[in-house]
Amino acid sequence: MAIPDYARLNFGTLLRAASDGNLALMECLDAATRQPRYVVCAVGRTDGEYAFTPFGHLADGNPYDAYLPPDHDDPTGLLASPAT
């Protein structure tokens, strides 16, 4: 499965911000649920003003339970969770 250009661009921006020491972890509220989220942001500075660009939030609990990895046998697919 190919990673789309917007995701590659955002990841590159995130890496540059990290290498420059321009990352912040902010406590925000989820817009839909109003639950607290801890959001990784790139920090930009212009003329003494700060801009925080959110990139994503940290996973609650065990992140291995939140995501399904790519399927090694099918480059266009993801592994399905076991049937319960």
Side-chain angles (χ1 to χ4, degrees), residues 8-71:
R8 289 180 189 278
L9 181 64
N10 283 343
F11 187 66
T13 301
L14 187 61
L15 289 176
R16 282 190 307 281
S19 70
D20 293 342
N22 292 322
L23 284 184
L25 184 62
M26 296 178 61
E27 182 176 2
C28 300
L29 288 181
D30 184 289
T33 67
R34 299 301 210 219
Q35 295 298 312
R37 296 279 184 241
Y38 301 96
V39 180
V40 176
C41 297
V43 181
R45 298 180 192 104
T46 304
D47 298 325
E49 299 286 323
Y50 292 89
F52 296 89
T53 303
F55 279 91
H57 67 270
L58 299 180
D60 295 339
N62 184 348
Y64 293 102
D65 293 337
Y67 307 104
L68 298 173
D71 185 344

